[in-house]
Amino acid sequence: MALSIGMLGYRFMGRAHANALARLPMFFPDAPAVERDVVIGRDESALADAADRLGFARTATDWRDVIGEVDVFYNLGPNHLHAEPSIAALEAGVPVLCEKPLAADDAAAERMARAAADADVPTATAFNYRYVPAIQYAKRLLDAGELGEIRHFRGHYLQDWLVDPDAPWSWRLDADLAGSGALGDLGAHTIDLARYLVGDVAEVSGQLQTFVDERPAPDGDGTREVTVDDAYSAQVTFENGAVGTLEASRFATGHENDHTIAIHGSKGSLRFGLERLNELEVKFEGDRGYQRVLVTDEDDPYGDRWWPPGHVLGWEHTFVHENYEFLTAVAEGGEYRPNFADGEAVQRVLATIEESDERGERLPVK
Amino acid sequence: MALSIGMLGYRFMGRAHANALARLPMFFPDAPAVERDVVIGRDESALADAADRLGFARTATDWRDVIGEVDVFYNLGPNHLHAEPSIAALEAGVPVLCEKPLAADDAAAERMARAAADADVPTATAFNYRYVPAIQYAKRLLDAGELGEIRHFRGHYLQDWLVDPDAPWSWRLDADLAGSGALGDLGAHTIDLARYLVGDVAEVSGQLQTFVDERPAPDGDGTREVTVDDAYSAQVTFENGAVGTLEASRFATGHENDHTIAIHGSKGSLRFGLERLNELEVKFEGDRGYQRVLVTDEDDPYGDRWWPPGHVLGWEHTFVHENYEFLTAVAEGGEYRPNFADGEAVQRVLATIEESDERGERLPVK
Amino acid sequence: MALSIGMLGYRFMGRAHANALARLPMFFPDAPAVERDVVIGRDESALADAADRLGFARTATDWRDVIGEVDVFYNLGPNHLHAEPSIAALEAGVPVLCEKPLAADDAAAERMARAAADADVPTATAFNYRYVPAIQYAKRLLDAGELGEIRHFRGHYLQDWLVDPDAPWSWRLDADLAGSGALGDLGAHTIDLARYLVGDVAEVSGQLQTFVDERPAPDGDGTREVTVDDAYSAQVTFENGAVGTLEASRFATGHENDHTIAIHGSKGSLRFGLERLNELEVKFEGDRGYQRVLVTDEDDPYGDRWWPPGHVLGWEHTFVHENYEFLTAVAEGGEYRPNFADGEAVQRVLATIEESDERGERLPVK
Amino acid sequence: MALSIGMLGYRFMGRAHANALARLPMFFPDAPAVERDVVIGRDESALADAADRLGFARTATDWRDVIGEVDVFYNLGPNHLHAEPSIAALEAGVPVLCEKPLAADDAAAERMARAAADADVPTATAFNYRYVPAIQYAKRLLDAGELGEIRHFRGHYLQDWLVDPDAPWSWRLDADLAGSGALGDLGAHTIDLARYLVGDVAEVSGQLQTFVDERPAPDGDGTREVTVDDAYSAQVTFENGAVGTLEASRFATGHENDHTIAIHGSKGSLRFGLERLNELEVKFEGDRGYQRVLVTDEDDPYGDRWWPPGHVLGWEHTFVHENYEFLTAVAEGGEYRPNFADGEAVQRVLATIEESDERGERLPVK
């Protein structure tokens, strides 16, 4: 019996997940069979096109109508629509994959995490970068102690699509709809990797900045206020004694999607950048410098699933891995990480960074 | 009406093309509809598995049985099996995509090219690297004259899977089955890019080398002779006055699939490496150094088909582009390049390099 | 008449400055003539060797004996010895070059800056990295507005000589002798470059960390306490609205002397790393990526003084440039920057970072 | 007793060697004492300036007048002036350092090598790149067998100062004065490194190209013919069975002084580029990729002579090392390499490449 999928949202993330689902049978034949059942949205015409293009059997304009009919619910809507449908699905016992950040604020995230705990079905917060093979390989090294005791984490996520002050306003620039700006959109990824690779964050001091306060309305009629951050940074201490610096910006001229992390341990160091996602630079104990490891060997993470060594993967493959792991957990009743509890933990760090900035004080993460 | 595909071969290249075919509808909805009809091979059991995995409707153990029944024939078999089935298909008026190099020797390649000319249907020699977006972008720059008059081409294709003298013998190391070694397998790609980007080759001097003359038989019983080159190099002059150096090796320790080219013109230069295939380094006129161009923008080649800027593609996407262009030509009766004539032209360069090495003389390409 | 130089300190920095003085005549014939007069220290035997090796005419064991006899005083001693001799020299009307950071604490720095202002002779805080040609070239670009309005500054200075917890204690790990640790030793350089290239710092929040609290005494007898930071980070806002993140560590495994900065402006961006000090990466307006600029052309800063384009300089050349500029200012009565006022400004930022860390609060720089 | 030096030539190479001599006492106190005695040239006024600037005691306009008066003769003149004065010096028992290539043709080189053998004093062909610490470190690795059996050598030396067809004619473009073009000027360096690191060359096939046949006369009056190569390439086999490709160009847009070599062995590989001369990339046995080794550690070649780890050297330091080694051999009667015999061996390879190009045949090196 194939797992039927209901998917709210059909744009960028919709395509990424639909593509992942479509690719499972050829490369992950052990994945559970999946039926792209219903795609959910408000614009009926766009919805019909999307269903056709993305291979879904039917459409729905209200998630309430279908949430009880599907085996798995994918919530790919805007941040302020993450909580209600996800919680409803969980209350109906339906496993949920929700895009990141988990919610527009930490109160909503907490309700979602509680619903997940009560439902006792697998949940996923879609931090897909955990599923880059190079990141999984880094995790192997860290778990094996090859880097020793971790001292430093450094992560920046740089984009430049707001550099032009005349770039138009969008929902992503509104605090009510998006929660926060670069912090939630980009920083959430960095914080998830920090937690995955280093551990829980104990204390933070945050700094948020909005460079351009208002922007042309998308309908061309006047301007609208920007109520989220254009850039953030944070200094963090981890519970294990490591320290970290985090940063993201939408004003980093020359960087389109540059998510870079670095870790220094007592025995070694590593570096990763999303624009070269097949590579991990590792300074192993005894080495004189960083080795550039092309993480495409057969015994590398997911290396036996795709192509021979040296034949590189792309960004979208992270979604295939993520969907494979999540759906396998759904089918087999296993645990999936990062789940809603992880998503909520990230949200608490985000909220603390924001509060720290407002108060001008270093704060413990609640 | 969907185009029915018959595909000889189902291993590495079979997966790459089947995957490409499967991905067309979601990302290239304007591509002709395709039916994965029949997969052809000798081992019935492996064949059945492959059909299942790769999504083909049926299997055949003799290409003669089905060559007249399909709309398009994909020849992905070993080099010495390229000629006969491809020619038979063409004689039946069936368009053919054949893996590279076009044939195991230039006589076979010539017969194939003649059959293609007679048949007057689209043919493809599957030099997929032409369909890397960064290479297409390089081609745009060259065609627009942005690099000026071309002076130098440099290409090397480095692998290291034969470094170990105890690595077992395979058909790729036999001159009768494979034609040549690094020269035909890797050099063919480099020469195709050289012709595509710079122009036809006028003269060559070649140097072939076999470092390990015999290797353990794959069945563990004694050794077998290596009758192809482990590495080759060539110096070439192009008809337009540019000069070039070409090189490939299966003994380049530390390089798994490193296909790198560089071009210097009177106004600018460019560099490309397959392991970072989303990037093109370009020194534009007036610049002080090479720019690293991430070729993922919306108006970059195929940039509007996939993901937003900065979301990188992988090796397999080259096959999607190649299949899209070839099948579109088939459906619309257009021209496709690189076709069998291109494949034959490359083969003549390969043969001349080999002859030049044997004679110790610089030779014109016939 | 040659300028006579008195130099306190003769180890690492002594060699660097003596070498710079020795090289001026051949490459900067327009520099004032200089007489390496007296080298000052406590260990008479080591001093005699140093004078011989570094080309000084005589030695002195007490700076008080010679401070009035020299034309220029170079204070290259440990941080806690910066203030008294420098002030004495200034009170005697002698120009002073002092190594960085200007003092072990901001009170001392303030006294030194006041003495400099009163003396009205050129002073130098030896932030030599301003005199890397690539940094001077970056300054040219910034002054010409080629990067537009500055949004981000990012600087880290990574070393790893304390990674081993058994690395011995030294004066650099004592707050009374050194002032601070990575913050003052490394961070001072970063802050000077930030001020030079971006502008004055308005607010900071700092985070200091000591990973290893005590270390083997250098005499092998027990352990001694580490009372300075092993690593620091800071978030800053500049007076012009830009934001920045700063970081340094002596625990960054795999990095020996990695001082890296990045700047993003509304029109362009740049990156610099000390280990490749001949290069500046610049993303100019209209470019698709960073250009790697090899800053060795004839019209690059100091480019006409040394070798033809493409013949790279080393770390020590920064001292030659610094000495040339400072001594020229001394001889001609001009202004030299960075002077003691600059050194004090850096010191105030350092002190505010430290205080911010202690109080857990974001603080304005006094 | 200081060794007195007579130096023919005072421009680029004159400054490089004079600087090296001047720096020995401070950094190589164990080097023999040296007296910059006499600088030799034709233009009396320029000569006087040079003597002043470079620190020579006197000048001479005819080398014959002084060749018997000096302890060591440095021949830094144009290639066609290498033979006669060097041989005269040797016949007078004076050790000679001669700039590369050793002569304008192989007959002259042979006479010089014979004179050196007869004289039995140290000679040097000034292939300074052997004295880059990273190259010496590479040599250590190779001698220790860390790369195993060598399979491949690849070297290119790319410059772009002739890209503009209106760049003026100079003596370097005249076969009678310079011998050859890119081949002798740049290729000589590559071949010396190939011999040093891999071994003697057995066979070559060469390809020379002149892109622009005539250029504006330097006096502005008409044009003059270019009779040397603008670019060359060569395929070589080494006596030990390795193969190599060599290349140089003065038309490589975007490359000012890019001398890059790569070596692949059965156990490891290495890469070096002159523009980042402090770095060696090494793929050691068992590594997954190249390590970037910053060759500035205390136990690296010459690492204890200069600055602490991570403080990089420049191009000119190679001359200091070269002069140190050569003068030490002179003072102590030891052997110095690369000597005139090495220079002649390189010259024979150069001549064979040229002859191979003319005849269109692969040729053994005599």
Side-chain angles (χ1 to χ4, degrees):
Chain A
M1 267 298 297
L3 293 171
S4 67
I5 310 278
M7 185 170 91
L8 189 162
Y10 50 83
R11 298 192 195 280
F12 179 21
M13 284 300 110
R15 290 180 80 208
H17 284 284
N19 176 54
L21 295 174
R23 306 190 65 192
L24 285 174
M26 200 177 288
F27 295 92
F28 291 80
D30 53 328
V34 160
E35 184 200 349
R36 279 170 270 166
D37 181 14
V38 55
V39 61
I40 308 158
R42 279 181 305 196
D43 176 338
E44 290 200 33
S45 150
L47 205 51
D49 283 353
D52 187 43
R53 179 85 169 260
L54 304 182
F56 278 77
R58 59 189 177 116
T59 66
T61 51
D62 190 334
W63 54 267
R64 288 170 192 85
D65 297 342
V66 295
I67 206 91
E69 301 169 10
V70 296
D71 295 325
V72 190
F73 176 56
Y74 278 40
N75 189 338
L76 316 178
N79 302 350
H80 70 288
L81 289 183
H82 284 181
E84 200 185 354
S86 296
I87 291 171
L90 289 168
E91 287 174 351
V94 176
V96 180
L97 175 150
C98 182
E99 266 304 323
K100 42 59 55 183
L102 186 57
D105 58 72
D106 57 337
E110 195 185 341
R111 285 189 292 124
M112 292 171 76
R114 206 177 315 122
D118 292 348
D120 198 24
V121 293
T123 53
T125 308
F127 291 118
N128 60 306
Y129 295 143
R130 286 201 191 191
Y131 288 99
V132 174
I135 292 293
Q136 297 258 333
Y137 177 70
K139 176 69 170 164
R140 279 190 197 169
L141 296 178
L142 288 159
D143 286 352
E146 295 219 30
L147 266 59
E149 202 171 336
I150 302 310
R151 302 302 194 184
H152 288 283
F153 177 87
R154 193 176 307 112
H156 61 231
Y157 203 143
L158 304 182
Q159 299 187 339
D160 63 3
W161 55 282
L162 286 182
V163 164
D164 180 356
D166 294 327
W169 187 94
S170 79
W171 71 268
R172 287 178 177 277
L173 306 184
D174 183 287
D176 290 335
L177 301 179
S180 64
L183 175 62
D185 184 25
L186 307 176
H189 275 304
T190 312
I191 292 163
D192 182 63
L193 288 187
R195 288 186 71 248
Y196 181 51
L197 298 173
V198 179
D200 278 317
V201 175
E203 283 193 328
V204 306
S205 47
Q207 178 173 293
L208 275 65
Q209 185 78 2
T210 304
F211 295 112
V212 172
D213 289 330
E214 58 181 24
R215 289 181 174 275
D219 55 10
D221 189 10
T223 61
R224 293 191 59 174
E225 200 183 349
V226 174
T227 52
V228 300
D229 56 294
D230 289 328
Y232 92 98
S233 65
Q235 299 170 129
V236 307
T237 52
F238 292 88
E239 292 189 351
N240 61 14
V243 295
T245 54
L246 317 178
E247 188 180 351
S249 179
R250 292 161 166 174
F251 274 71
T253 303
H255 298 255
E256 288 182 328
N257 198 29
D258 178 6
H259 192 197
T260 300
I261 64 165
I263 295 175
H264 306 299
S266 57
K267 291 186 183 171
S269 291
L270 60 80
R271 295 192 286 228
F272 169 80
L274 186 60
E275 293 180 349
R276 292 175 175 170
L277 61 79
N278 294 275
E279 304 176 24
L280 189 75
E281 289 184 283
V282 188
K283 202 261 175 206
F284 290 100
E285 194 170 18
D287 283 0
R288 291 204 52 178
Y290 286 80
Q291 290 180 32
R292 170 182 166 270
V293 179
L294 196 62
V295 190
T296 57
D297 279 0
E298 203 172 331
D299 53 2
D300 283 327
Y302 307 109
D304 58 343
R305 300 298 190 141
W306 301 101
W307 313 108
H311 293 73
V312 298
L313 301 183
W315 170 84
E316 70 193 49
H317 292 80
T318 59
F319 286 79
V320 185
H321 305 156
E322 179 186 57
N323 277 268
Y324 167 69
E325 300 292 353
F326 174 61
L327 294 169
T328 299
V330 167
E332 299 178 359
E335 195 197 16
Y336 175 82
R337 300 286 298 272
N339 57 21
F340 275 20
D342 291 304
E344 190 213 357
V346 169
Q347 199 83 33
R348 268 182 283 126
V349 178
L350 296 174
T352 313
I353 288 171
E354 215 166 342
E355 189 183 346
S356 162
D357 172 62
E358 280 159 21
R359 293 171 47 178
E361 289 173 24
R362 186 190 301 143
L363 295 176
V365 176
K366 283 159 286 191
Chain B
M1 268 297 297
L3 294 169
S4 67
I5 310 276
M7 186 169 93
L8 190 162
Y10 50 82
R11 297 192 196 280
F12 178 20
M13 284 300 108
R15 289 180 80 208
H17 285 284
N19 176 54
L21 295 173
R23 305 190 66 193
L24 285 174
M26 200 178 287
F27 295 93
F28 291 80
D30 53 328
V34 161
E35 184 199 351
R36 279 170 269 167
D37 181 15
V38 56
V39 61
I40 308 158
R42 279 182 303 195
D43 177 338
E44 289 199 34
S45 149
L47 205 51
D49 284 353
D52 187 44
R53 179 86 169 258
L54 304 182
F56 277 76
R58 58 189 179 118
T59 67
T61 53
D62 190 334
W63 55 265
R64 288 170 192 83
D65 297 342
V66 295
I67 204 93
E69 300 169 13
V70 296
D71 296 324
V72 190
F73 177 56
Y74 278 40
N75 190 337
L76 317 178
N79 302 349
H80 71 287
L81 289 182
H82 284 181
E84 200 185 353
S86 296
I87 291 170
L90 289 168
E91 287 173 352
V94 176
V96 180
L97 175 151
C98 183
E99 265 305 322
K100 41 60 56 182
L102 186 56
D105 57 72
D106 56 339
E110 195 187 340
R111 285 189 293 124
M112 292 171 77
R114 205 176 317 122
D118 292 347
D120 198 23
V121 293
T123 54
T125 309
F127 291 118
N128 59 305
Y129 296 143
R130 286 201 191 191
Y131 289 99
V132 174
I135 292 293
Q136 296 259 333
Y137 176 70
K139 176 69 169 163
R140 278 190 196 170
L141 295 179
L142 288 159
D143 286 352
E146 295 219 30
L147 266 59
E149 203 170 335
I150 302 310
R151 303 301 193 185
H152 288 283
F153 176 88
R154 194 176 306 113
H156 61 232
Y157 202 143
L158 305 181
Q159 299 187 339
D160 63 3
W161 54 282
L162 286 181
V163 165
D164 180 356
D166 293 328
W169 187 95
S170 78
W171 71 267
R172 288 179 177 277
L173 306 184
D174 183 287
D176 290 334
L177 301 179
S180 63
L183 176 62
D185 185 24
L186 307 177
H189 275 303
T190 312
I191 293 163
D192 181 63
L193 288 188
R195 289 186 70 248
Y196 181 52
L197 297 173
V198 179
D200 278 317
V201 175
E203 284 192 327
V204 306
S205 47
Q207 178 173 293
L208 276 64
Q209 185 78 1
T210 305
F211 295 112
V212 172
D213 288 331
E214 58 180 25
R215 289 179 175 275
D219 57 9
D221 188 9
T223 62
R224 295 193 58 174
E225 200 184 350
V226 174
T227 53
V228 301
D229 55 294
D230 290 328
Y232 91 99
S233 66
Q235 299 170 131
V236 307
T237 52
F238 292 89
E239 292 189 353
N240 60 15
V243 295
T245 54
L246 316 178
E247 188 181 352
S249 179
R250 292 160 167 176
F251 274 71
T253 303
H255 298 254
E256 288 182 327
N257 198 30
D258 177 7
H259 191 197
T260 300
I261 64 165
I263 295 176
H264 305 300
S266 57
K267 290 185 183 173
S269 292
L270 61 81
R271 296 191 287 228
F272 169 81
L274 186 60
E275 293 180 350
R276 291 176 175 168
L277 62 79
N278 293 276
E279 304 177 23
L280 190 74
E281 289 184 284
V282 189
K283 201 261 174 210
F284 290 100
E285 195 171 17
D287 283 0
R288 290 203 54 178
Y290 286 80
Q291 291 180 31
R292 172 181 165 271
V293 179
L294 195 62
V295 190
T296 57
D297 279 0
E298 202 173 330
D299 54 2
D300 282 329
Y302 306 110
D304 57 343
R305 299 300 190 138
W306 300 101
W307 314 108
H311 294 73
V312 298
L313 301 184
W315 169 84
E316 70 192 51
H317 292 80
T318 61
F319 286 79
V320 184
H321 306 156
E322 180 186 55
N323 277 268
Y324 167 69
E325 300 293 353
F326 175 60
L327 293 169
T328 299
V330 168
E332 299 179 359
E335 195 198 15
Y336 175 82
R337 301 285 298 272
N339 57 22
F340 275 20
D342 292 305
E344 189 214 359
V346 169
Q347 200 82 33
R348 268 183 282 127
V349 178
L350 296 174
T352 313
I353 288 170
E354 215 166 342
E355 191 183 344
S356 163
D357 173 60
E358 281 158 21
R359 293 170 49 177
E361 290 173 23
R362 187 189 301 143
L363 295 177
V365 176
K366 284 160 286 191
Chain C
M1 268 299 296
L3 293 170
S4 67
I5 310 277
M7 186 169 91
L8 189 163
Y10 50 83
R11 298 192 196 280
F12 179 19
M13 284 300 109
R15 291 179 80 208
H17 285 284
N19 176 54
L21 295 173
R23 305 191 65 194
L24 285 174
M26 200 177 288
F27 296 92
F28 291 80
D30 54 327
V34 160
E35 185 201 349
R36 279 170 270 166
D37 180 14
V38 55
V39 61
I40 307 158
R42 279 181 303 195
D43 177 337
E44 289 198 32
S45 150
L47 205 51
D49 284 352
D52 188 44
R53 179 84 169 259
L54 304 182
F56 278 76
R58 59 189 178 117
T59 66
T61 52
D62 190 335
W63 53 267
R64 288 172 191 82
D65 297 342
V66 294
I67 205 92
E69 300 170 11
V70 297
D71 295 325
V72 190
F73 177 56
Y74 278 40
N75 189 338
L76 316 177
N79 302 349
H80 70 288
L81 289 183
H82 285 181
E84 200 186 352
S86 297
I87 291 170
L90 289 168
E91 286 174 353
V94 175
V96 181
L97 175 150
C98 183
E99 266 304 322
K100 41 59 56 181
L102 186 57
D105 58 71
D106 57 338
E110 196 185 340
R111 285 190 292 124
M112 292 171 76
R114 206 176 316 122
D118 292 347
D120 198 25
V121 293
T123 54
T125 308
F127 291 118
N128 59 307
Y129 295 144
R130 285 201 191 192
Y131 289 98
V132 175
I135 293 292
Q136 296 259 331
Y137 177 70
K139 176 69 171 165
R140 279 190 197 170
L141 296 178
L142 289 159
D143 286 351
E146 295 220 30
L147 265 58
E149 203 170 336
I150 302 310
R151 302 302 194 186
H152 288 283
F153 177 88
R154 193 177 307 112
H156 61 233
Y157 202 143
L158 305 181
Q159 300 187 340
D160 64 3
W161 55 282
L162 286 182
V163 164
D164 180 356
D166 293 328
W169 187 94
S170 79
W171 70 268
R172 288 179 177 276
L173 306 183
D174 184 287
D176 289 335
L177 301 179
S180 64
L183 175 62
D185 185 25
L186 307 177
H189 275 303
T190 312
I191 292 163
D192 181 63
L193 288 187
R195 288 187 70 248
Y196 182 52
L197 297 173
V198 179
D200 278 318
V201 175
E203 284 193 328
V204 306
S205 46
Q207 179 173 293
L208 275 64
Q209 185 78 0
T210 305
F211 295 112
V212 172
D213 288 329
E214 57 181 25
R215 290 182 174 274
D219 56 10
D221 188 10
T223 61
R224 294 192 58 174
E225 200 184 350
V226 174
T227 53
V228 300
D229 56 294
D230 289 328
Y232 92 98
S233 66
Q235 300 171 128
V236 307
T237 52
F238 292 88
E239 291 189 350
N240 61 14
V243 295
T245 54
L246 317 178
E247 189 181 350
S249 178
R250 292 160 167 177
F251 274 71
T253 303
H255 299 255
E256 289 182 328
N257 198 29
D258 178 6
H259 192 196
T260 299
I261 64 165
I263 295 176
H264 305 300
S266 57
K267 291 184 182 173
S269 291
L270 61 80
R271 295 191 288 228
F272 169 80
L274 186 59
E275 294 181 348
R276 291 176 175 169
L277 61 79
N278 294 275
E279 305 177 22
L280 189 75
E281 290 184 283
V282 188
K283 202 260 173 209
F284 290 101
E285 194 170 19
D287 283 0
R288 289 204 55 179
Y290 285 81
Q291 290 180 33
R292 171 182 165 271
V293 179
L294 196 62
V295 189
T296 57
D297 279 0
E298 202 173 330
D299 53 2
D300 282 329
Y302 307 108
D304 58 344
R305 299 298 191 139
W306 300 100
W307 314 107
H311 293 73
V312 298
L313 301 184
W315 170 83
E316 71 194 48
H317 292 82
T318 60
F319 286 78
V320 184
H321 305 156
E322 180 187 56
N323 276 269
Y324 167 69
E325 301 292 354
F326 175 60
L327 293 169
T328 298
V330 168
E332 299 179 359
E335 194 196 16
Y336 176 83
R337 300 286 298 271
N339 57 21
F340 274 21
D342 292 304
E344 189 213 359
V346 169
Q347 199 82 35
R348 268 183 282 127
V349 178
L350 297 174
T352 313
I353 289 171
E354 213 165 345
E355 188 183 347
S356 163
D357 173 61
E358 280 157 22
R359 293 170 49 177
E361 289 174 25
R362 186 189 303 143
L363 295 176
V365 176
K366 285 158 287 189
Chain D
M1 268 298 296
L3 294 170
S4 68
I5 310 276
M7 185 170 92
L8 189 163
Y10 51 84
R11 298 193 196 279
F12 178 21
M13 284 300 108
R15 290 180 80 209
H17 285 284
N19 176 54
L21 295 174
R23 305 191 65 193
L24 286 174
M26 199 177 288
F27 295 93
F28 291 80
D30 53 328
V34 160
E35 184 201 349
R36 280 171 269 167
D37 181 13
V38 56
V39 61
I40 308 159
R42 280 181 303 196
D43 177 338
E44 289 200 33
S45 148
L47 206 51
D49 284 353
D52 187 44
R53 179 85 168 258
L54 305 181
F56 277 76
R58 58 189 179 117
T59 67
T61 54
D62 190 335
W63 54 267
R64 288 169 192 84
D65 297 343
V66 294
I67 205 92
E69 302 169 10
V70 296
D71 295 325
V72 190
F73 177 57
Y74 279 40
N75 189 338
L76 316 178
N79 303 349
H80 70 288
L81 288 184
H82 284 182
E84 200 185 352
S86 296
I87 291 170
L90 289 169
E91 286 173 353
V94 176
V96 180
L97 175 151
C98 182
E99 265 304 323
K100 39 61 54 181
L102 187 56
D105 58 71
D106 56 339
E110 196 187 338
R111 285 190 291 124
M112 292 171 77
R114 206 177 318 121
D118 291 347
D120 199 24
V121 293
T123 54
T125 308
F127 291 118
N128 59 306
Y129 296 143
R130 285 202 192 191
Y131 289 99
V132 174
I135 293 293
Q136 296 260 331
Y137 177 70
K139 177 68 170 164
R140 278 190 197 170
L141 295 178
L142 288 159
D143 286 352
E146 295 220 31
L147 265 59
E149 204 170 335
I150 302 309
R151 302 303 193 185
H152 288 281
F153 177 88
R154 193 177 307 113
H156 61 233
Y157 202 143
L158 304 181
Q159 299 187 340
D160 64 3
W161 54 282
L162 286 182
V163 164
D164 180 356
D166 293 328
W169 187 95
S170 79
W171 72 267
R172 287 179 178 276
L173 306 184
D174 183 287
D176 290 334
L177 301 179
S180 64
L183 175 62
D185 185 26
L186 307 177
H189 275 303
T190 312
I191 293 162
D192 181 63
L193 288 187
R195 290 186 69 248
Y196 181 53
L197 298 173
V198 180
D200 278 318
V201 174
E203 285 193 327
V204 306
S205 46
Q207 178 173 293
L208 275 64
Q209 184 78 1
T210 305
F211 295 113
V212 172
D213 289 328
E214 58 181 25
R215 289 182 175 274
D219 56 10
D221 187 9
T223 62
R224 294 193 58 175
E225 200 183 350
V226 174
T227 54
V228 300
D229 56 294
D230 290 328
Y232 92 97
S233 65
Q235 299 170 130
V236 307
T237 52
F238 292 89
E239 292 189 352
N240 60 14
V243 295
T245 54
L246 316 178
E247 189 181 350
S249 179
R250 292 160 168 176
F251 273 71
T253 303
H255 299 254
E256 289 182 329
N257 197 29
D258 177 7
H259 192 196
T260 300
I261 65 164
I263 295 176
H264 305 299
S266 57
K267 290 184 183 172
S269 291
L270 61 80
R271 295 191 287 228
F272 170 81
L274 186 60
E275 293 180 348
R276 291 176 176 170
L277 62 79
N278 293 276
E279 304 177 23
L280 190 75
E281 290 184 284
V282 189
K283 201 256 171 214
F284 291 100
E285 195 170 18
D287 283 0
R288 289 204 55 178
Y290 286 81
Q291 290 180 32
R292 172 182 164 270
V293 179
L294 196 62
V295 190
T296 57
D297 279 0
E298 201 173 329
D299 53 2
D300 283 328
Y302 306 109
D304 57 344
R305 299 299 191 137
W306 300 101
W307 314 107
H311 293 73
V312 298
L313 300 184
W315 170 83
E316 71 194 48
H317 292 81
T318 61
F319 286 79
V320 184
H321 306 156
E322 180 186 58
N323 277 269
Y324 168 68
E325 300 292 355
F326 175 60
L327 293 169
T328 298
V330 168
E332 299 179 1
E335 195 197 15
Y336 176 82
R337 301 286 297 272
N339 57 21
F340 275 20
D342 292 304
E344 189 213 358
V346 169
Q347 200 82 34
R348 268 183 282 126
V349 178
L350 296 174
T352 313
I353 289 171
E354 215 165 343
E355 189 183 346
S356 163
D357 173 61
E358 280 158 23
R359 293 170 49 177
E361 288 174 25
R362 187 190 301 144
L363 294 178
V365 176
K366 285 159 286 190

